[in-house]
Amino acid sequence: MRCYIAAGGRSPARMSKNDNATAGEKPALPGQPGLAEAGTVSLEGLHGTVAVPHHEAGFWQQWRAFVGPAILVSVGYMDPGNWGTDLAAGAQFKYGLLWVVALASVMAIFMQILSARLGVVTGKDLAQCCRDWYPRWTRWPNWLFCELAIAACDLAEVLGSAVALNLMFHIPLLWAVVITGLDVLLLLALQRFGVRLIEAVVLVLVATISACYFIEIFVLPQIQPNFLEMGHALLTPGLRQAGMIYVAIGIIGATVMPHNLYLHSALVQSRRLQKDEASIRSAIRFNTIDSITALTVAFFVNAAILVLAALVFYGKTSVTVAGGAVVAFSADSDWIRIAHLTLAPLLGTAAASTLFVVALLASGQSSTITGTLAGQVVMEGFMHWRIQPWLRRLITRSLAIIPAVLVIGIRGDSSVNDLLTLSQVVLALQLPFAMLPLLQFTSSRRRMGVWKSGWLLLIAGWTSALLITGMDLWGLPDSLKAGWQAIMGR
Protein backbone atom coordinates (compact mmCIF):
# COMPACT_ATOMS: atom_id res chain seq x y z
CA MET A 1 0.00 0.00 0.00
CA ARG A 2 1.44 3.38 -0.97
CA CYS A 3 1.20 6.31 1.40
CA TYR A 4 1.33 9.97 0.42
CA ILE A 5 1.54 13.33 2.07
CA ALA A 6 -0.95 15.69 0.53
CA ALA A 7 1.32 18.55 -0.48
CA GLY A 8 -0.31 21.96 -0.39
CA GLY A 9 -3.62 20.48 0.68
CA ARG A 10 -4.07 18.31 -2.41
CA SER A 11 -5.39 14.83 -2.08
CA PRO A 12 -3.44 11.96 -3.67
CA ALA A 13 -6.07 11.73 -6.39
CA ARG A 14 -5.30 15.29 -7.54
CA MET A 15 -1.55 14.78 -7.71
CA SER A 16 -0.15 14.50 -11.18
CA LYS A 17 1.90 11.50 -12.15
CA ASN A 18 5.09 13.59 -12.02
CA ASP A 19 4.42 14.76 -8.46
CA ASN A 20 6.48 13.06 -5.81
CA ALA A 21 5.48 12.73 -2.18
CA THR A 22 6.21 16.33 -1.30
CA ALA A 23 5.86 19.65 -3.00
CA GLY A 24 9.07 21.01 -4.41
CA GLU A 25 10.75 17.61 -4.67
CA LYS A 26 12.29 16.78 -8.00
CA PRO A 27 10.28 14.20 -9.90
CA ALA A 28 11.81 10.75 -9.87
CA LEU A 29 13.21 9.55 -13.15
CA PRO A 30 13.51 5.86 -13.97
CA GLY A 31 16.46 4.57 -11.95
CA GLN A 32 17.05 7.97 -10.33
CA PRO A 33 14.84 8.71 -7.32
CA GLY A 34 14.16 12.29 -6.32
CA LEU A 35 16.78 14.14 -4.30
CA ALA A 36 16.19 15.99 -1.07
CA GLU A 37 15.06 19.57 -1.45
CA ALA A 38 17.67 22.25 -1.17
CA GLY A 39 17.82 23.64 2.34
CA THR A 40 16.30 20.52 3.95
CA VAL A 41 19.46 18.48 4.42
CA SER A 42 20.20 17.14 7.89
CA LEU A 43 23.53 17.81 9.60
CA GLU A 44 23.96 20.82 7.35
CA GLY A 45 27.43 21.65 8.67
CA LEU A 46 28.69 18.17 7.72
CA HIS A 47 26.68 17.54 4.56
CA GLY A 48 28.83 17.16 1.44
CA THR A 49 32.02 18.27 3.19
CA VAL A 50 34.22 15.31 2.19
CA ALA A 51 35.30 15.10 -1.43
CA VAL A 52 35.33 11.70 -3.15
CA PRO A 53 37.45 10.75 -6.17
CA HIS A 54 36.11 9.84 -9.58
CA HIS A 55 34.52 6.41 -9.69
CA GLU A 56 37.33 5.20 -11.96
CA ALA A 57 39.98 5.99 -9.34
CA GLY A 58 41.85 3.13 -7.69
CA PHE A 59 40.32 0.96 -4.98
CA TRP A 60 42.39 2.33 -2.08
CA GLN A 61 41.90 5.93 -3.12
CA GLN A 62 38.13 5.48 -3.14
CA TRP A 63 38.15 3.43 0.03
CA ARG A 64 40.00 6.16 1.95
CA ALA A 65 37.38 8.68 0.88
CA PHE A 66 34.35 6.58 1.78
CA VAL A 67 35.58 4.91 4.96
CA GLY A 68 34.31 6.61 8.11
CA PRO A 69 30.52 6.75 8.44
CA ALA A 70 30.24 3.09 9.47
CA ILE A 71 33.14 3.50 11.90
CA LEU A 72 31.31 6.41 13.48
CA VAL A 73 28.13 4.35 13.66
CA SER A 74 29.99 1.30 14.99
CA VAL A 75 30.94 3.01 18.25
CA GLY A 76 27.27 2.75 19.15
CA TYR A 77 27.72 -1.02 18.94
CA MET A 78 30.46 -0.87 21.58
CA ASP A 79 28.93 1.65 23.95
CA PRO A 80 28.43 1.12 27.71
CA GLY A 81 25.06 -0.48 27.00
CA ASN A 82 26.78 -3.23 25.02
CA TRP A 83 29.37 -3.64 27.75
CA GLY A 84 26.63 -4.03 30.36
CA THR A 85 24.60 -6.60 28.42
CA ASP A 86 27.66 -8.58 27.27
CA LEU A 87 29.06 -8.68 30.80
CA ALA A 88 25.72 -9.80 32.22
CA ALA A 89 25.41 -12.49 29.53
CA GLY A 90 28.89 -13.91 30.09
CA ALA A 91 28.73 -13.75 33.88
CA GLN A 92 25.31 -15.38 34.16
CA PHE A 93 25.19 -17.80 31.21
CA LYS A 94 28.83 -18.28 30.14
CA TYR A 95 28.81 -18.74 26.33
CA GLY A 96 25.07 -19.50 26.18
CA LEU A 97 24.20 -16.16 24.57
CA LEU A 98 27.24 -15.86 22.28
CA TRP A 99 25.01 -16.86 19.38
CA VAL A 100 22.76 -13.88 20.14
CA VAL A 101 25.75 -11.52 19.87
CA ALA A 102 26.66 -13.09 16.51
CA LEU A 103 23.09 -13.05 15.19
CA ALA A 104 22.53 -9.47 16.31
CA SER A 105 25.78 -8.40 14.63
CA VAL A 106 24.81 -10.04 11.33
CA MET A 107 21.39 -8.38 11.44
CA ALA A 108 23.04 -5.05 12.25
CA ILE A 109 25.31 -5.37 9.20
CA PHE A 110 22.36 -5.94 6.88
CA MET A 111 20.40 -3.07 8.39
CA GLN A 112 23.29 -0.60 8.21
CA ILE A 113 23.98 -1.59 4.59
CA LEU A 114 20.35 -0.80 3.78
CA SER A 115 20.51 2.49 5.70
CA ALA A 116 23.62 3.61 3.82
CA ARG A 117 22.07 2.52 0.53
CA LEU A 118 18.95 4.60 1.21
CA GLY A 119 20.99 7.72 1.90
CA VAL A 120 23.24 7.31 -1.14
CA VAL A 121 20.45 6.64 -3.63
CA THR A 122 17.71 9.02 -2.48
CA GLY A 123 19.81 11.85 -1.09
CA LYS A 124 17.61 11.71 2.03
CA ASP A 125 18.04 10.22 5.45
CA LEU A 126 15.50 7.78 6.88
CA ALA A 127 13.72 10.45 8.91
CA GLN A 128 13.25 12.65 5.83
CA CYS A 129 11.92 9.67 3.89
CA CYS A 130 9.39 8.90 6.63
CA ARG A 131 8.28 12.53 6.70
CA ASP A 132 7.95 12.80 2.93
CA TRP A 133 6.47 9.40 2.11
CA TYR A 134 4.18 8.65 5.05
CA PRO A 135 0.96 10.48 6.01
CA ARG A 136 1.41 13.76 7.88
CA TRP A 137 -0.10 12.42 11.11
CA THR A 138 2.77 9.91 11.51
CA ARG A 139 5.43 12.59 12.00
CA TRP A 140 4.84 13.30 15.66
CA PRO A 141 4.60 9.67 16.90
CA ASN A 142 7.57 8.61 14.77
CA TRP A 143 9.66 11.48 16.07
CA LEU A 144 8.67 10.86 19.70
CA PHE A 145 9.48 7.14 19.41
CA CYS A 146 12.90 8.05 18.00
CA GLU A 147 13.52 10.51 20.81
CA LEU A 148 12.61 7.81 23.34
CA ALA A 149 15.17 5.46 21.78
CA ILE A 150 17.86 8.16 21.76
CA ALA A 151 17.13 9.01 25.41
CA ALA A 152 17.38 5.31 26.31
CA CYS A 153 20.71 5.07 24.51
CA ASP A 154 21.92 8.23 26.19
CA LEU A 155 20.98 6.74 29.55
CA ALA A 156 23.58 4.04 28.85
CA GLU A 157 26.20 6.67 27.95
CA VAL A 158 25.38 8.61 31.14
CA LEU A 159 25.77 5.52 33.30
CA GLY A 160 28.93 4.33 31.55
CA SER A 161 30.61 7.72 31.83
CA ALA A 162 29.44 8.09 35.44
CA VAL A 163 30.84 4.69 36.42
CA ALA A 164 34.15 5.64 34.78
CA LEU A 165 34.30 8.90 36.75
CA ASN A 166 33.34 7.05 39.91
CA LEU A 167 36.11 4.47 39.49
CA MET A 168 38.71 6.98 38.33
CA PHE A 169 38.18 9.85 40.77
CA HIS A 170 36.01 8.16 43.46
CA ILE A 171 33.24 10.68 42.84
CA PRO A 172 29.91 9.52 44.27
CA LEU A 173 27.95 7.92 41.45
CA LEU A 174 24.99 10.28 41.81
CA TRP A 175 27.23 13.33 41.37
CA ALA A 176 29.12 11.64 38.54
CA VAL A 177 25.82 11.28 36.68
CA VAL A 178 25.20 15.01 37.04
CA ILE A 179 28.72 15.88 35.87
CA THR A 180 28.20 13.96 32.62
CA GLY A 181 25.86 16.75 31.55
CA LEU A 182 28.95 18.86 30.88
CA ASP A 183 30.08 16.64 28.01
CA VAL A 184 28.33 19.03 25.64
CA LEU A 185 31.59 20.99 25.65
CA LEU A 186 33.48 18.05 24.15
CA LEU A 187 30.88 17.66 21.44
CA LEU A 188 31.01 21.31 20.47
CA ALA A 189 34.81 21.25 20.35
CA LEU A 190 34.87 18.24 18.01
CA GLN A 191 32.07 19.41 15.72
CA ARG A 192 33.99 22.60 14.97
CA PHE A 193 36.66 20.56 13.19
CA GLY A 194 34.38 18.53 10.94
CA VAL A 195 33.32 14.95 10.44
CA ARG A 196 36.79 13.62 9.61
CA LEU A 197 38.16 14.45 13.08
CA ILE A 198 35.14 12.86 14.74
CA GLU A 199 35.71 9.71 12.67
CA ALA A 200 39.39 9.70 13.64
CA VAL A 201 38.57 9.95 17.37
CA VAL A 202 36.16 7.04 17.10
CA LEU A 203 38.69 4.98 15.14
CA VAL A 204 41.32 5.44 17.86
CA LEU A 205 38.81 4.35 20.50
CA VAL A 206 37.78 1.22 18.56
CA ALA A 207 41.41 0.29 17.86
CA THR A 208 42.38 0.68 21.53
CA ILE A 209 39.57 -1.50 22.85
CA SER A 210 40.10 -4.10 20.11
CA ALA A 211 43.84 -4.37 20.77
CA CYS A 212 43.36 -4.91 24.51
CA TYR A 213 40.88 -7.73 24.11
CA PHE A 214 42.80 -9.32 21.22
CA ILE A 215 45.94 -9.50 23.36
CA GLU A 216 44.04 -11.00 26.28
CA ILE A 217 42.39 -13.76 24.27
CA PHE A 218 45.04 -14.68 21.71
CA VAL A 219 48.37 -13.69 23.28
CA LEU A 220 48.31 -14.05 27.05
CA PRO A 221 48.93 -17.59 28.33
CA GLN A 222 46.78 -16.94 31.42
CA ILE A 223 43.66 -16.68 29.26
CA GLN A 224 42.80 -19.86 27.38
CA PRO A 225 39.14 -19.92 26.36
CA ASN A 226 37.71 -23.18 25.10
CA PHE A 227 37.14 -22.44 21.42
CA LEU A 228 35.34 -25.75 20.88
CA GLU A 229 32.85 -24.84 23.61
CA MET A 230 32.44 -21.38 22.10
CA GLY A 231 31.85 -22.91 18.66
CA HIS A 232 29.28 -25.30 20.10
CA ALA A 233 27.46 -22.38 21.74
CA LEU A 234 27.39 -20.53 18.42
CA LEU A 235 26.01 -23.53 16.51
CA THR A 236 23.40 -24.63 19.06
CA PRO A 237 21.28 -21.55 19.77
CA GLY A 238 18.70 -21.66 22.50
CA LEU A 239 17.21 -19.83 25.47
CA ARG A 240 17.29 -22.68 27.94
CA GLN A 241 17.77 -20.88 31.25
CA ALA A 242 15.51 -18.52 33.15
CA GLY A 243 16.33 -14.88 32.47
CA MET A 244 18.03 -15.55 29.12
CA ILE A 245 15.27 -13.99 27.04
CA TYR A 246 15.50 -10.65 28.85
CA VAL A 247 19.28 -10.40 28.46
CA ALA A 248 19.03 -11.61 24.84
CA ILE A 249 16.62 -8.80 23.99
CA GLY A 250 18.97 -6.40 25.73
CA ILE A 251 21.86 -7.61 23.56
CA ILE A 252 19.81 -7.12 20.40
CA GLY A 253 18.73 -3.67 21.54
CA ALA A 254 22.35 -2.78 22.29
CA THR A 255 23.56 -4.09 18.93
CA VAL A 256 20.89 -3.24 16.36
CA MET A 257 20.30 0.34 17.50
CA PRO A 258 17.31 2.14 15.96
CA HIS A 259 18.80 5.63 15.95
CA ASN A 260 21.87 4.32 14.07
CA LEU A 261 19.61 3.50 11.12
CA TYR A 262 18.60 7.15 10.91
CA LEU A 263 22.14 8.38 11.53
CA HIS A 264 23.93 6.22 8.96
CA SER A 265 21.62 7.31 6.14
CA ALA A 266 22.59 10.92 6.94
CA LEU A 267 26.31 10.38 7.55
CA VAL A 268 26.92 8.84 4.12
CA GLN A 269 25.84 12.19 2.70
CA SER A 270 28.83 13.86 4.33
CA ARG A 271 30.56 12.65 1.17
CA ARG A 272 30.16 14.88 -1.87
CA LEU A 273 28.37 12.26 -3.94
CA GLN A 274 27.65 12.38 -7.65
CA LYS A 275 24.33 11.05 -8.86
CA ASP A 276 25.34 9.36 -12.11
CA GLU A 277 24.91 5.60 -12.25
CA ALA A 278 28.59 4.68 -11.97
CA SER A 279 29.14 7.00 -8.98
CA ILE A 280 26.10 5.63 -7.14
CA ARG A 281 27.28 2.07 -7.74
CA SER A 282 30.72 2.95 -6.40
CA ALA A 283 29.28 4.71 -3.33
CA ILE A 284 27.03 1.74 -2.53
CA ARG A 285 29.94 -0.67 -2.91
CA PHE A 286 32.34 1.19 -0.64
CA ASN A 287 29.73 2.00 2.00
CA THR A 288 28.87 -1.71 2.06
CA ILE A 289 32.53 -2.59 2.60
CA ASP A 290 32.75 0.10 5.28
CA SER A 291 29.70 -1.30 7.09
CA ILE A 292 30.84 -4.93 6.98
CA THR A 293 34.35 -4.11 8.18
CA ALA A 294 33.39 -1.78 11.03
CA LEU A 295 30.58 -3.94 12.39
CA THR A 296 32.63 -7.13 12.15
CA VAL A 297 35.21 -5.48 14.41
CA ALA A 298 32.36 -4.47 16.73
CA PHE A 299 31.18 -8.10 16.85
CA PHE A 300 34.61 -9.36 17.88
CA VAL A 301 34.85 -6.72 20.60
CA ASN A 302 31.43 -7.63 22.00
CA ALA A 303 32.20 -11.34 21.78
CA ALA A 304 35.51 -10.76 23.59
CA ILE A 305 33.79 -8.87 26.41
CA LEU A 306 31.28 -11.72 26.83
CA VAL A 307 33.96 -14.42 26.68
CA LEU A 308 36.22 -12.72 29.21
CA ALA A 309 33.29 -12.08 31.54
CA ALA A 310 32.45 -15.78 31.30
CA LEU A 311 36.05 -16.77 32.10
CA VAL A 312 36.39 -14.38 35.04
CA PHE A 313 32.91 -14.47 36.60
CA TYR A 314 30.83 -17.48 35.49
CA GLY A 315 30.35 -20.13 38.17
CA LYS A 316 32.51 -18.27 40.67
CA THR A 317 31.75 -16.40 43.87
CA SER A 318 35.04 -14.52 44.03
CA VAL A 319 38.23 -13.86 42.09
CA THR A 320 41.77 -13.33 43.34
CA VAL A 321 43.51 -10.43 41.65
CA ALA A 322 47.12 -9.29 41.61
CA GLY A 323 48.45 -8.70 45.11
CA GLY A 324 46.29 -11.45 46.61
CA ALA A 325 43.16 -9.37 47.11
CA VAL A 326 39.90 -11.28 46.87
CA VAL A 327 36.87 -9.69 45.24
CA ALA A 328 33.54 -11.40 45.97
CA PHE A 329 30.52 -11.26 43.69
CA SER A 330 27.18 -12.94 43.09
CA ALA A 331 24.41 -13.06 40.52
CA ASP A 332 23.27 -9.64 41.75
CA SER A 333 26.68 -8.00 41.33
CA ASP A 334 26.90 -4.80 39.35
CA TRP A 335 29.03 -6.27 36.58
CA ILE A 336 29.79 -2.97 34.86
CA ARG A 337 31.47 -1.71 38.07
CA ILE A 338 33.76 -4.72 38.57
CA ALA A 339 34.39 -5.45 34.91
CA HIS A 340 37.90 -4.00 35.06
CA LEU A 341 38.82 -7.41 36.48
CA THR A 342 38.56 -8.81 32.96
CA LEU A 343 41.70 -6.84 32.10
CA ALA A 344 43.62 -7.92 35.20
CA PRO A 345 45.63 -10.66 33.43
CA LEU A 346 46.92 -8.09 30.96
CA LEU A 347 48.19 -5.24 33.13
CA GLY A 348 47.51 -6.05 36.77
CA THR A 349 44.62 -4.74 38.83
CA ALA A 350 45.54 -1.07 39.12
CA ALA A 351 46.57 -0.60 35.51
CA ALA A 352 43.66 -2.72 34.29
CA SER A 353 41.22 -0.60 36.25
CA THR A 354 42.71 2.59 34.83
CA LEU A 355 42.60 1.25 31.27
CA PHE A 356 39.05 0.04 31.71
CA VAL A 357 37.69 3.32 33.06
CA VAL A 358 39.48 5.36 30.39
CA ALA A 359 38.07 3.11 27.66
CA LEU A 360 34.62 3.19 29.25
CA LEU A 361 34.67 6.97 29.57
CA ALA A 362 35.88 7.36 25.98
CA SER A 363 33.25 4.91 24.80
CA GLY A 364 30.51 6.85 26.55
CA GLN A 365 31.73 10.17 25.20
CA SER A 366 32.11 8.91 21.63
CA SER A 367 28.64 7.38 21.74
CA THR A 368 27.41 10.70 23.09
CA ILE A 369 28.59 12.35 19.87
CA THR A 370 26.71 9.91 17.65
CA GLY A 371 23.62 10.13 19.86
CA THR A 372 23.56 13.90 19.52
CA LEU A 373 24.04 13.69 15.76
CA ALA A 374 21.22 11.15 15.55
CA GLY A 375 19.02 13.48 17.59
CA GLN A 376 19.69 16.27 15.11
CA VAL A 377 18.88 13.97 12.21
CA VAL A 378 15.51 12.84 13.54
CA MET A 379 14.46 16.29 14.73
CA GLU A 380 15.40 17.98 11.46
CA GLY A 381 14.15 15.10 9.34
CA PHE A 382 10.75 14.54 10.93
CA MET A 383 9.92 18.04 12.15
CA HIS A 384 12.17 20.38 10.12
CA TRP A 385 13.21 21.95 13.42
CA ARG A 386 16.75 23.27 13.64
CA ILE A 387 18.27 24.18 16.98
CA GLN A 388 21.83 24.77 18.12
CA PRO A 389 23.80 21.54 18.78
CA TRP A 390 24.56 22.55 22.36
CA LEU A 391 20.86 23.03 23.11
CA ARG A 392 20.02 19.76 21.40
CA ARG A 393 22.68 18.05 23.52
CA LEU A 394 21.38 19.54 26.77
CA ILE A 395 17.82 18.42 26.00
CA THR A 396 18.90 14.85 25.20
CA ARG A 397 21.22 14.60 28.18
CA SER A 398 18.57 15.98 30.54
CA LEU A 399 16.12 13.29 29.42
CA ALA A 400 18.73 10.69 30.35
CA ILE A 401 20.05 12.25 33.56
CA ILE A 402 16.65 12.73 35.23
CA PRO A 403 15.64 9.02 35.32
CA ALA A 404 19.20 8.00 36.22
CA VAL A 405 19.28 10.39 39.18
CA LEU A 406 15.85 9.26 40.36
CA VAL A 407 16.61 5.53 40.21
CA ILE A 408 20.09 5.83 41.71
CA GLY A 409 18.65 8.08 44.40
CA ILE A 410 16.03 5.44 45.24
CA ARG A 411 18.07 2.26 44.86
CA GLY A 412 21.65 3.39 45.28
CA ASP A 413 24.75 2.49 43.29
CA SER A 414 23.73 -1.16 42.84
CA SER A 415 21.18 -0.23 40.17
CA VAL A 416 23.64 0.64 37.39
CA ASN A 417 23.78 -2.66 35.53
CA ASP A 418 20.00 -3.12 35.76
CA LEU A 419 19.51 0.33 34.28
CA LEU A 420 21.96 -0.40 31.47
CA THR A 421 20.12 -3.58 30.54
CA LEU A 422 16.75 -1.83 30.80
CA SER A 423 17.91 0.92 28.45
CA GLN A 424 18.88 -1.67 25.84
CA VAL A 425 15.51 -3.42 26.13
CA VAL A 426 13.82 -0.08 25.39
CA LEU A 427 15.97 0.17 22.26
CA ALA A 428 14.97 -3.33 21.18
CA LEU A 429 11.27 -2.53 21.59
CA GLN A 430 11.72 0.58 19.43
CA LEU A 431 13.56 -1.23 16.65
CA PRO A 432 10.55 -2.27 14.50
CA PHE A 433 9.51 1.38 14.14
CA ALA A 434 12.84 2.10 12.44
CA MET A 435 13.42 -1.19 10.62
CA LEU A 436 10.07 -1.55 8.88
CA PRO A 437 10.12 1.85 7.12
CA LEU A 438 13.74 1.28 6.10
CA LEU A 439 12.88 -2.08 4.58
CA GLN A 440 9.76 -0.74 2.89
CA PHE A 441 11.62 2.14 1.24
CA THR A 442 14.68 0.17 0.13
CA SER A 443 12.45 -2.58 -1.29
CA SER A 444 10.48 -0.11 -3.41
CA ARG A 445 11.41 0.41 -7.06
CA ARG A 446 9.42 3.65 -6.99
CA ARG A 447 11.65 5.04 -4.23
CA MET A 448 14.97 3.44 -5.16
CA GLY A 449 14.69 2.91 -8.90
CA VAL A 450 17.14 0.32 -10.21
CA TRP A 451 18.93 0.43 -6.84
CA LYS A 452 16.14 -1.28 -4.91
CA SER A 453 17.30 -4.11 -2.68
CA GLY A 454 18.12 -7.41 -4.33
CA TRP A 455 16.69 -10.71 -3.17
CA LEU A 456 19.53 -11.37 -0.69
CA LEU A 457 19.08 -8.05 1.11
CA LEU A 458 15.30 -8.42 0.96
CA ILE A 459 15.31 -11.87 2.57
CA ALA A 460 17.99 -10.99 5.13
CA GLY A 461 16.39 -7.67 6.03
CA TRP A 462 12.83 -8.86 6.41
CA THR A 463 13.91 -12.02 8.25
CA SER A 464 15.87 -9.88 10.70
CA ALA A 465 12.95 -7.53 11.23
CA LEU A 466 10.47 -10.36 11.81
CA LEU A 467 12.84 -12.19 14.14
CA ILE A 468 13.56 -9.12 16.24
CA THR A 469 9.88 -8.17 16.40
CA GLY A 470 8.96 -11.73 17.38
CA MET A 471 11.56 -11.76 20.17
CA ASP A 472 10.28 -8.41 21.38
CA LEU A 473 6.73 -9.71 21.67
CA TRP A 474 7.82 -13.01 23.20
CA GLY A 475 9.89 -11.32 25.86
CA LEU A 476 7.56 -8.39 26.53
CA PRO A 477 6.07 -9.76 29.79
CA ASP A 478 9.50 -10.57 31.23
CA SER A 479 10.84 -7.25 29.97
CA LEU A 480 8.11 -5.27 31.70
CA LYS A 481 8.61 -7.21 34.92
CA ALA A 482 12.39 -6.78 34.87
CA GLY A 483 12.00 -3.12 33.93
CA TRP A 484 9.83 -2.49 36.96
CA GLN A 485 12.32 -4.32 39.16
CA ALA A 486 15.16 -2.23 37.71
CA ILE A 487 13.33 0.93 38.67
CA MET A 488 11.96 -0.07 42.06
CA GLY A 489 14.49 -2.72 43.13
CA ARG A 490 14.05 -6.39 43.80
Side-chain angles (χ1 to χ4, degrees):
M1 180 178 66
R2 294 177 178 173
C3 299
Y4 302 83
I5 298 174
R10 293 180 294 171
S11 66
R14 294 179 181 177
M15 299 178 75
S16 70
K17 65 180 181 180
N18 287 327
D19 281 334
N20 213 325
T22 53
E25 186 179 359
K26 296 180 181 179
L29 302 176
Q32 184 183 8
L35 307 180
E37 299 176 62
T40 63
V41 296
S42 294
L43 303 179
E44 190 170 7
L46 305 178
H47 190 277
T49 56
V50 179
V52 297
H54 191 269
H55 63 83
E56 294 181 352
F59 176 88
W60 293 110
Q61 186 179 354
Q62 292 192 71
W63 180 83
R64 284 195 301 270
F66 282 104
V67 70
I71 294 176
L72 194 56
V73 167
S74 75
V75 78
Y77 294 79
M78 293 172 279
D79 72 344
N82 289 87
W83 289 44
T85 54
D86 293 336
L87 289 166
Q92 296 176 44
F93 309 112
K94 201 175 183 181
Y95 306 137
L97 290 177
L98 189 58
W99 69 272
V100 177
V101 176
L103 179 63
S105 299
V106 171
M107 292 190 293
I109 288 173
F110 282 118
M111 288 297 169
Q112 297 300 160
I113 287 173
L114 289 172
S115 175
R117 191 184 189 97
L118 180 71
V120 167
V121 174
T122 65
K124 304 181 183 205
D125 58 64
L126 179 58
Q128 291 172 331
C129 291
C130 290
R131 175 188 171 91
D132 292 348
W133 297 337
Y134 280 155
R136 186 181 300 270
W137 64 266
T138 63
R139 295 175 189 173
W140 274 92
N142 274 335
W143 173 60
L144 291 174
F145 281 136
C146 288
E147 292 290 358
L148 176 63
I150 292 170
C153 181
D154 208 48
L155 175 60
E157 326 313 356
V158 165
L159 294 170
S161 298
V163 167
L165 293 173
N166 172 256
L167 292 172
M168 188 181 297
F169 302 111
H170 305 291
I171 300 172
L173 191 62
L174 190 62
W175 285 108
V177 167
V178 176
I179 291 172
T180 59
L182 301 176
D183 68 3
V184 64
L185 301 176
L186 173 66
L187 173 66
L188 293 176
L190 287 177
Q191 280 193 306
R192 290 180 58 190
F193 296 99
V195 69
R196 273 307 205 185
L197 179 63
I198 297 174
E199 292 169 355
V201 169
V202 171
L203 179 60
V204 170
L205 167 67
V206 172
T208 301
I209 298 173
S210 301
C212 288
Y213 281 102
F214 177 85
I215 292 171
E216 278 209 271
I217 291 181
F218 294 104
V219 177
L220 294 181
Q222 299 96 320
I223 298 294
Q224 296 180 349
N226 189 325
F227 289 99
L228 288 178
E229 188 177 356
M230 291 164 56
H232 182 264
L234 281 171
L235 297 176
T236 56
L239 299 169
R240 305 174 186 88
Q241 295 176 243
M244 270 190 165
I245 181 65
Y246 179 67
V247 179
I249 292 175
I251 291 173
I252 291 175
T255 305
V256 192
M257 307 183 79
H259 67 275
N260 269 344
L261 302 180
Y262 294 94
L263 179 61
H264 202 175
S265 58
L267 285 176
V268 295
Q269 296 174 59
S270 63
R271 274 53 183 172
R272 204 172 304 134
L273 303 174
Q274 302 297 316
K275 286 299 178 179
D276 60 279
E277 182 175 339
S279 296
I280 292 177
R281 182 182 295 109
S282 178
I284 290 174
R285 177 192 179 197
F286 283 97
N287 276 292
T288 299
I289 295 172
D290 190 27
S291 299
I292 293 173
T293 304
L295 297 188
T296 298
V297 171
F299 159 69
F300 282 115
V301 170
N302 284 317
I305 294 172
L306 185 150
V307 168
L308 289 172
L311 292 172
V312 174
F313 299 124
Y314 179 75
K316 301 176 183 178
T317 57
S318 64
V319 63
T320 302
V321 297
V326 177
V327 177
F329 46 81
S330 66
D332 295 327
S333 292
D334 220 348
W335 302 112
I336 192 68
R337 303 191 69 202
I338 58 175
H340 63 279
L341 296 177
T342 64
L343 293 175
L346 177 59
L347 297 173
T349 304
S353 178
T354 300
L355 180 61
F356 172 82
V357 297
V358 169
L360 183 59
L361 182 62
S363 174
Q365 294 304 299
S366 297
S367 299
T368 284
I369 296 170
T370 59
T372 300
L373 295 176
Q376 289 179 239
V377 168
V378 299
M379 179 178 285
E380 294 168 3
F382 280 117
M383 310 306 293
H384 283 185
W385 294 346
R386 294 185 186 276
I387 62 177
Q388 292 297 318
W390 66 267
L391 180 57
R392 166 73 230 185
R393 183 76 205 113
L394 285 179
I395 293 172
T396 303
R397 182 47 53 106
S398 297
L399 292 174
I401 286 178
I402 291 172
V405 167
L406 290 175
V407 174
I408 292 174
I410 295 172
R411 291 191 52 198
D413 295 357
S414 63
S415 60
V416 173
N417 212 69
D418 286 343
L419 277 173
L420 279 174
T421 303
L422 174 63
S423 71
Q424 305 313 304
V425 172
V426 173
L427 290 175
L429 295 175
Q430 160 62 17
L431 265 172
F433 297 97
M435 291 188 302
L436 297 181
L438 175 64
L439 288 164
Q440 180 186 357
F441 299 148
T442 54
S443 303
S444 169
R445 181 171 294 276
R446 178 169 182 245
R447 306 303 183 192
M448 300 287 288
V450 298
W451 307 108
K452 67 181 289 289
S453 300
W455 65 268
L456 176 60
L457 280 176
L458 278 175
I459 293 174
W462 283 106
T463 300
S464 299
L466 292 174
L467 181 60
I468 291 172
T469 304
M471 289 189 70
D472 282 349
L473 294 175
W474 181 22
L476 186 59
D478 287 342
S479 298
L480 294 175
K481 178 181 178 181
W484 179 254
Q485 289 176 342
I487 296 172
M488 301 306 297
R490 291 183 174 87

